[in-house]
């Protein structure tokens, strides 16, 4: 996949994930953006080679939510 296509895909995934975080956490979109962009989940998500971007919004949210609750970034072994 080209970098341009990946950038567009990452934008779409991130937009949907931020909106979902905002609703689930009952926070503003701006606060959801800040939480996501400052997370390990996002730093792994934006690395094309990790393939985390291939997972669903709900799966990505569960990884993010777990990181927020525990302070640890973990991808369930069943997903690997």
């Amino acid at each position: 996949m080209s970098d341009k296509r990946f950038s567009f895909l990452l934008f779409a995934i991130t937009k949907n994930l931020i909106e979902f975080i905002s609703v689930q956490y009952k926070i503003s979109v701006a606060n959801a953006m800040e939480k996501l962009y400052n997370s390990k989940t996002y730093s792994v998500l934006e690395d094309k080679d990790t393939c985390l971007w291939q997972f669903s919004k709900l799966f990505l949210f569960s990884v993010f939510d777990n990181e927020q609750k525990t302070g640890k970034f973990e991808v369930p072994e069943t997903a690997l």
Side-chain angles (χ1 to χ4, degrees), residues 17-62:
L17 187 54
I18 287 169
E19 290 170 354
F20 194 73
I21 291 168
S22 175
V23 169
Q24 294 301 308
Y25 281 28
K26 297 179 175 71
I27 59 176
S28 69
V29 170
N31 286 342
M33 286 175 64
E34 183 177 347
K35 283 186 176 292
L36 181 61
Y37 289 145
N38 289 313
S39 71
K40 177 70 174 173
T41 301
Y42 183 75
S43 68
V44 174
L45 179 62
E46 71 178 345
D47 180 351
K48 179 170 55 172
D49 296 332
T50 67
C51 296
L52 190 63
W53 52 270
Q54 295 182 14
F55 291 98
S56 72
K57 171 181 67 180
L58 293 177
F59 179 85
L60 293 172
F61 174 76
S62 71

Short mmCIF file of all heavy atoms in Angstrom, two decimals, residues 17-62:
data_model
loop_
_atom_site.label_atom_id
_atom_site.label_comp_id
_atom_site.label_asym_id
_atom_site.label_seq_id
_atom_site.Cartn_x
_atom_site.Cartn_y
_atom_site.Cartn_z
N LEU A 17 -12.58 6.52 15.18
CA LEU A 17 -12.18 6.13 16.53
C LEU A 17 -12.33 7.30 17.50
O LEU A 17 -12.82 7.12 18.62
CB LEU A 17 -10.75 5.59 16.52
CG LEU A 17 -10.24 4.97 17.81
CD1 LEU A 17 -11.16 3.87 18.33
CD2 LEU A 17 -8.83 4.42 17.59
N ILE A 18 -11.95 8.49 17.09
CA ILE A 18 -12.09 9.67 17.94
C ILE A 18 -13.56 9.93 18.26
O ILE A 18 -13.91 10.19 19.42
CB ILE A 18 -11.44 10.90 17.29
CG1 ILE A 18 -9.91 10.77 17.34
CG2 ILE A 18 -11.90 12.19 17.95
CD1 ILE A 18 -9.16 11.77 16.50
N GLU A 19 -14.41 9.84 17.27
CA GLU A 19 -15.84 10.04 17.50
C GLU A 19 -16.38 8.99 18.48
O GLU A 19 -17.16 9.31 19.38
CB GLU A 19 -16.60 9.98 16.19
CG GLU A 19 -16.34 11.18 15.29
CD GLU A 19 -16.90 11.03 13.90
OE1 GLU A 19 -17.43 9.95 13.54
OE2 GLU A 19 -16.82 12.02 13.14
N PHE A 20 -15.93 7.76 18.34
CA PHE A 20 -16.38 6.68 19.22
C PHE A 20 -15.88 6.91 20.65
O PHE A 20 -16.64 6.73 21.61
CB PHE A 20 -15.91 5.33 18.68
CG PHE A 20 -16.58 4.16 19.31
CD1 PHE A 20 -17.90 3.86 19.02
CD2 PHE A 20 -15.90 3.34 20.20
CE1 PHE A 20 -18.53 2.77 19.60
CE2 PHE A 20 -16.51 2.25 20.79
CZ PHE A 20 -17.84 1.96 20.48
N ILE A 21 -14.63 7.30 20.80
CA ILE A 21 -14.06 7.59 22.12
C ILE A 21 -14.86 8.73 22.77
O ILE A 21 -15.19 8.66 23.96
CB ILE A 21 -12.57 7.95 22.01
CG1 ILE A 21 -11.75 6.73 21.62
CG2 ILE A 21 -12.05 8.55 23.33
CD1 ILE A 21 -10.31 7.04 21.20
N SER A 22 -15.16 9.75 22.01
CA SER A 22 -15.92 10.89 22.52
C SER A 22 -17.26 10.46 23.08
O SER A 22 -17.65 10.87 24.19
CB SER A 22 -16.12 11.92 21.39
OG SER A 22 -16.93 12.97 21.82
N VAL A 23 -17.95 9.60 22.38
CA VAL A 23 -19.27 9.12 22.83
C VAL A 23 -19.11 8.20 24.03
O VAL A 23 -19.82 8.35 25.04
CB VAL A 23 -20.00 8.38 21.67
CG1 VAL A 23 -21.23 7.65 22.18
CG2 VAL A 23 -20.36 9.37 20.57
N GLN A 24 -18.20 7.25 23.96
CA GLN A 24 -18.04 6.27 25.03
C GLN A 24 -17.57 6.91 26.34
O GLN A 24 -18.00 6.52 27.41
CB GLN A 24 -17.08 5.16 24.62
CG GLN A 24 -17.57 4.30 23.49
CD GLN A 24 -18.88 3.61 23.83
OE1 GLN A 24 -19.03 2.97 24.86
NE2 GLN A 24 -19.87 3.77 22.95
N TYR A 25 -16.67 7.86 26.25
CA TYR A 25 -16.13 8.51 27.45
C TYR A 25 -16.93 9.75 27.85
O TYR A 25 -16.65 10.36 28.86
CB TYR A 25 -14.68 8.91 27.20
CG TYR A 25 -13.67 7.80 27.33
CD1 TYR A 25 -13.98 6.48 27.08
CD2 TYR A 25 -12.37 8.09 27.71
CE1 TYR A 25 -13.04 5.48 27.19
CE2 TYR A 25 -11.41 7.09 27.83
CZ TYR A 25 -11.76 5.78 27.56
OH TYR A 25 -10.82 4.79 27.69
N LYS A 26 -17.90 10.11 27.00
CA LYS A 26 -18.72 11.32 27.24
C LYS A 26 -17.83 12.55 27.42
O LYS A 26 -17.96 13.30 28.40
CB LYS A 26 -19.63 11.11 28.44
CG LYS A 26 -20.65 10.00 28.24
CD LYS A 26 -21.51 9.81 29.46
CE LYS A 26 -22.61 8.81 29.23
NZ LYS A 26 -22.24 7.45 29.13
N ILE A 27 -16.93 12.74 26.46
CA ILE A 27 -16.02 13.88 26.44
C ILE A 27 -16.11 14.55 25.07
O ILE A 27 -16.66 13.98 24.13
CB ILE A 27 -14.56 13.48 26.74
CG1 ILE A 27 -14.04 12.45 25.72
CG2 ILE A 27 -14.43 12.93 28.17
CD1 ILE A 27 -12.57 12.08 25.89
N SER A 28 -15.56 15.73 24.97
CA SER A 28 -15.57 16.45 23.69
C SER A 28 -14.68 15.74 22.68
O SER A 28 -13.78 14.98 23.05
CB SER A 28 -15.09 17.88 23.88
OG SER A 28 -13.71 17.90 24.17
N VAL A 29 -14.94 16.03 21.42
CA VAL A 29 -14.10 15.48 20.36
C VAL A 29 -12.66 15.95 20.54
O VAL A 29 -11.72 15.17 20.35
CB VAL A 29 -14.66 15.87 18.97
CG1 VAL A 29 -13.68 15.52 17.86
CG2 VAL A 29 -16.00 15.18 18.73
N ALA A 30 -12.48 17.19 20.94
CA ALA A 30 -11.12 17.72 21.16
C ALA A 30 -10.40 16.94 22.25
O ALA A 30 -9.21 16.60 22.10
CB ALA A 30 -11.17 19.20 21.50
N ASN A 31 -11.09 16.63 23.34
CA ASN A 31 -10.47 15.84 24.41
C ASN A 31 -10.19 14.41 23.96
O ASN A 31 -9.17 13.83 24.32
CB ASN A 31 -11.35 15.82 25.66
CG ASN A 31 -11.32 17.13 26.42
OD1 ASN A 31 -10.42 17.95 26.23
ND2 ASN A 31 -12.30 17.34 27.27
N ALA A 32 -11.10 13.85 23.17
CA ALA A 32 -10.88 12.51 22.64
C ALA A 32 -9.67 12.49 21.72
O ALA A 32 -8.86 11.55 21.76
CB ALA A 32 -12.14 12.03 21.90
N MET A 33 -9.52 13.52 20.90
CA MET A 33 -8.36 13.63 20.02
C MET A 33 -7.07 13.67 20.84
O MET A 33 -6.11 12.96 20.53
CB MET A 33 -8.44 14.89 19.16
CG MET A 33 -9.43 14.83 18.05
SD MET A 33 -9.59 16.40 17.16
CE MET A 33 -7.97 16.58 16.47
N GLU A 34 -7.07 14.49 21.87
CA GLU A 34 -5.88 14.62 22.71
C GLU A 34 -5.52 13.29 23.36
O GLU A 34 -4.36 12.88 23.35
CB GLU A 34 -6.12 15.69 23.77
CG GLU A 34 -4.89 15.94 24.63
CD GLU A 34 -5.11 17.05 25.64
OE1 GLU A 34 -6.09 17.80 25.55
OE2 GLU A 34 -4.27 17.14 26.54
N LYS A 35 -6.52 12.60 23.90
CA LYS A 35 -6.27 11.30 24.54
C LYS A 35 -5.71 10.30 23.53
O LYS A 35 -4.75 9.60 23.83
CB LYS A 35 -7.55 10.74 25.16
CG LYS A 35 -7.94 11.39 26.46
CD LYS A 35 -9.13 10.66 27.05
CE LYS A 35 -9.49 11.20 28.41
NZ LYS A 35 -8.49 10.91 29.43
N LEU A 36 -6.33 10.23 22.36
CA LEU A 36 -5.88 9.24 21.37
C LEU A 36 -4.49 9.58 20.86
O LEU A 36 -3.61 8.72 20.83
CB LEU A 36 -6.87 9.14 20.21
CG LEU A 36 -6.47 8.12 19.14
CD1 LEU A 36 -6.40 6.70 19.72
CD2 LEU A 36 -7.42 8.17 17.96
N TYR A 37 -4.27 10.83 20.45
CA TYR A 37 -2.98 11.20 19.87
C TYR A 37 -1.82 11.09 20.85
O TYR A 37 -0.68 10.95 20.44
CB TYR A 37 -3.04 12.60 19.27
CG TYR A 37 -3.87 12.70 18.01
CD1 TYR A 37 -4.63 13.83 17.75
CD2 TYR A 37 -3.91 11.67 17.08
CE1 TYR A 37 -5.38 13.94 16.59
CE2 TYR A 37 -4.67 11.77 15.93
CZ TYR A 37 -5.40 12.90 15.69
OH TYR A 37 -6.15 13.00 14.55
N ASN A 38 -2.11 11.14 22.15
CA ASN A 38 -1.07 11.00 23.16
C ASN A 38 -0.94 9.58 23.70
O ASN A 38 -0.22 9.35 24.67
CB ASN A 38 -1.34 11.97 24.32
CG ASN A 38 -1.10 13.39 23.91
OD1 ASN A 38 -0.09 13.71 23.30
ND2 ASN A 38 -2.04 14.26 24.22
N SER A 39 -1.60 8.63 23.05
CA SER A 39 -1.56 7.25 23.52
C SER A 39 -0.56 6.40 22.74
O SER A 39 -0.21 6.71 21.59
CB SER A 39 -2.95 6.62 23.39
OG SER A 39 -3.28 6.40 22.02
N LYS A 40 -0.13 5.34 23.38
CA LYS A 40 0.71 4.35 22.71
C LYS A 40 -0.09 3.67 21.61
O LYS A 40 0.44 3.33 20.56
CB LYS A 40 1.22 3.33 23.73
CG LYS A 40 2.05 2.23 23.15
CD LYS A 40 3.38 2.70 22.67
CE LYS A 40 4.22 1.50 22.22
NZ LYS A 40 5.46 1.88 21.60
N THR A 41 -1.39 3.51 21.85
CA THR A 41 -2.26 2.89 20.84
C THR A 41 -2.13 3.63 19.52
O THR A 41 -1.97 3.00 18.46
CB THR A 41 -3.73 2.89 21.31
OG1 THR A 41 -3.83 2.17 22.54
CG2 THR A 41 -4.64 2.25 20.28
N TYR A 42 -2.17 4.95 19.56
CA TYR A 42 -2.08 5.72 18.32
C TYR A 42 -0.70 5.61 17.70
O TYR A 42 -0.57 5.48 16.48
CB TYR A 42 -2.44 7.19 18.53
CG TYR A 42 -2.42 7.95 17.23
CD1 TYR A 42 -3.44 7.78 16.31
CD2 TYR A 42 -1.36 8.77 16.89
CE1 TYR A 42 -3.42 8.43 15.08
CE2 TYR A 42 -1.33 9.43 15.67
CZ TYR A 42 -2.36 9.26 14.78
OH TYR A 42 -2.33 9.88 13.57
N SER A 43 0.34 5.63 18.51
CA SER A 43 1.68 5.55 17.94
C SER A 43 1.90 4.22 17.23
O SER A 43 2.59 4.16 16.21
CB SER A 43 2.76 5.81 19.00
OG SER A 43 2.82 4.78 19.94
N VAL A 44 1.28 3.16 17.74
CA VAL A 44 1.37 1.86 17.07
C VAL A 44 0.45 1.84 15.85
O VAL A 44 0.82 1.32 14.80
CB VAL A 44 1.05 0.71 18.05
CG1 VAL A 44 1.00 -0.62 17.33
CG2 VAL A 44 2.09 0.66 19.18
N LEU A 45 -0.73 2.43 15.98
CA LEU A 45 -1.69 2.48 14.88
C LEU A 45 -1.12 3.20 13.67
O LEU A 45 -1.33 2.77 12.53
CB LEU A 45 -2.97 3.16 15.36
CG LEU A 45 -4.10 3.34 14.34
CD1 LEU A 45 -4.60 1.98 13.87
CD2 LEU A 45 -5.23 4.14 14.97
N GLU A 46 -0.39 4.28 13.88
CA GLU A 46 0.12 5.06 12.76
C GLU A 46 1.35 4.44 12.09
O GLU A 46 1.80 4.93 11.06
CB GLU A 46 0.39 6.50 13.16
CG GLU A 46 1.57 6.70 14.06
CD GLU A 46 1.83 8.16 14.39
OE1 GLU A 46 1.29 9.06 13.72
OE2 GLU A 46 2.59 8.39 15.33
N ASP A 47 1.85 3.35 12.64
CA ASP A 47 2.97 2.62 12.02
C ASP A 47 2.39 1.56 11.09
O ASP A 47 1.84 0.56 11.54
CB ASP A 47 3.84 1.99 13.09
CG ASP A 47 5.03 1.23 12.53
OD1 ASP A 47 5.12 1.03 11.29
OD2 ASP A 47 5.88 0.81 13.33
N LYS A 48 2.49 1.80 9.81
CA LYS A 48 1.88 0.91 8.80
C LYS A 48 2.33 -0.54 8.97
O LYS A 48 1.56 -1.46 8.76
CB LYS A 48 2.23 1.43 7.40
CG LYS A 48 1.70 0.58 6.28
CD LYS A 48 1.84 1.22 4.91
CE LYS A 48 3.21 1.62 4.54
NZ LYS A 48 3.33 2.05 3.13
N ASP A 49 3.57 -0.74 9.39
CA ASP A 49 4.13 -2.09 9.48
C ASP A 49 3.54 -2.93 10.61
O ASP A 49 3.65 -4.15 10.58
CB ASP A 49 5.64 -2.02 9.62
CG ASP A 49 6.32 -1.42 8.39
OD1 ASP A 49 5.74 -1.54 7.28
OD2 ASP A 49 7.39 -0.83 8.54
N THR A 50 2.91 -2.30 11.61
CA THR A 50 2.34 -3.07 12.72
C THR A 50 1.05 -3.75 12.34
O THR A 50 0.63 -4.71 12.99
CB THR A 50 2.07 -2.19 13.95
OG1 THR A 50 1.03 -1.26 13.62
CG2 THR A 50 3.31 -1.49 14.43
N CYS A 51 0.39 -3.24 11.33
CA CYS A 51 -0.89 -3.77 10.83
C CYS A 51 -2.03 -3.63 11.84
O CYS A 51 -3.09 -4.23 11.66
CB CYS A 51 -0.76 -5.22 10.38
SG CYS A 51 0.35 -5.40 8.97
N LEU A 52 -1.85 -2.84 12.89
CA LEU A 52 -2.94 -2.62 13.85
C LEU A 52 -4.12 -1.94 13.16
O LEU A 52 -5.27 -2.15 13.53
CB LEU A 52 -2.45 -1.77 15.03
CG LEU A 52 -3.39 -1.63 16.22
CD1 LEU A 52 -3.64 -3.00 16.87
CD2 LEU A 52 -2.82 -0.68 17.25
N TRP A 53 -3.84 -1.17 12.13
CA TRP A 53 -4.88 -0.44 11.38
C TRP A 53 -5.88 -1.38 10.71
O TRP A 53 -6.96 -0.96 10.30
CB TRP A 53 -4.23 0.47 10.35
CG TRP A 53 -3.25 -0.22 9.48
CD1 TRP A 53 -1.90 -0.37 9.71
CD2 TRP A 53 -3.51 -0.90 8.25
NE1 TRP A 53 -1.31 -1.09 8.70
CE2 TRP A 53 -2.28 -1.43 7.79
CE3 TRP A 53 -4.65 -1.11 7.50
CZ2 TRP A 53 -2.17 -2.16 6.61
CZ3 TRP A 53 -4.55 -1.83 6.31
CH2 TRP A 53 -3.32 -2.34 5.89
N GLN A 54 -5.56 -2.66 10.61
CA GLN A 54 -6.45 -3.61 9.94
C GLN A 54 -7.63 -4.04 10.82
O GLN A 54 -8.57 -4.64 10.33
CB GLN A 54 -5.68 -4.85 9.51
CG GLN A 54 -4.65 -4.57 8.46
CD GLN A 54 -3.92 -5.82 8.02
OE1 GLN A 54 -4.33 -6.94 8.29
NE2 GLN A 54 -2.82 -5.63 7.32
N PHE A 55 -7.58 -3.71 12.11
CA PHE A 55 -8.61 -4.15 13.03
C PHE A 55 -9.80 -3.19 13.06
O PHE A 55 -9.69 -2.04 12.65
CB PHE A 55 -8.03 -4.33 14.43
CG PHE A 55 -7.08 -5.48 14.53
CD1 PHE A 55 -5.72 -5.27 14.46
CD2 PHE A 55 -7.55 -6.78 14.68
CE1 PHE A 55 -4.83 -6.33 14.53
CE2 PHE A 55 -6.68 -7.85 14.76
CZ PHE A 55 -5.31 -7.63 14.68
N SER A 56 -10.91 -3.68 13.58
CA SER A 56 -12.14 -2.88 13.64
C SER A 56 -12.05 -1.75 14.65
O SER A 56 -11.20 -1.76 15.55
CB SER A 56 -13.32 -3.79 14.02
OG SER A 56 -13.22 -4.15 15.39
N LYS A 57 -12.96 -0.82 14.50
CA LYS A 57 -13.06 0.31 15.44
C LYS A 57 -13.28 -0.20 16.86
O LYS A 57 -12.67 0.31 17.80
CB LYS A 57 -14.19 1.23 15.01
CG LYS A 57 -14.54 2.32 16.00
CD LYS A 57 -15.69 3.18 15.53
CE LYS A 57 -16.97 2.41 15.47
NZ LYS A 57 -18.12 3.19 15.03
N LEU A 58 -14.12 -1.21 17.02
CA LEU A 58 -14.39 -1.73 18.36
C LEU A 58 -13.16 -2.38 18.97
O LEU A 58 -12.89 -2.23 20.16
CB LEU A 58 -15.55 -2.72 18.33
CG LEU A 58 -16.91 -2.12 17.99
CD1 LEU A 58 -17.98 -3.21 17.90
CD2 LEU A 58 -17.31 -1.06 18.99
N PHE A 59 -12.41 -3.10 18.16
CA PHE A 59 -11.18 -3.72 18.66
C PHE A 59 -10.18 -2.64 19.04
O PHE A 59 -9.57 -2.70 20.11
CB PHE A 59 -10.59 -4.65 17.61
CG PHE A 59 -9.30 -5.28 18.06
CD1 PHE A 59 -9.32 -6.43 18.83
CD2 PHE A 59 -8.08 -4.71 17.73
CE1 PHE A 59 -8.14 -7.01 19.28
CE2 PHE A 59 -6.90 -5.28 18.17
CZ PHE A 59 -6.93 -6.43 18.94
N LEU A 60 -9.99 -1.65 18.18
CA LEU A 60 -9.05 -0.57 18.47
C LEU A 60 -9.47 0.19 19.72
O LEU A 60 -8.62 0.56 20.54
CB LEU A 60 -8.95 0.38 17.28
CG LEU A 60 -8.32 -0.21 16.02
CD1 LEU A 60 -8.44 0.75 14.85
CD2 LEU A 60 -6.88 -0.61 16.27
N PHE A 61 -10.78 0.40 19.88
CA PHE A 61 -11.25 1.07 21.09
C PHE A 61 -10.94 0.23 22.32
O PHE A 61 -10.53 0.77 23.35
CB PHE A 61 -12.75 1.37 21.03
CG PHE A 61 -13.26 1.92 22.33
CD1 PHE A 61 -13.01 3.24 22.67
CD2 PHE A 61 -13.95 1.12 23.22
CE1 PHE A 61 -13.45 3.76 23.88
CE2 PHE A 61 -14.39 1.62 24.44
CZ PHE A 61 -14.13 2.94 24.77
N SER A 62 -11.11 -1.08 22.25
CA SER A 62 -10.84 -1.92 23.42
C SER A 62 -9.37 -1.87 23.79
O SER A 62 -9.02 -1.85 24.98
CB SER A 62 -11.31 -3.36 23.20
OG SER A 62 -10.50 -4.03 22.27
#
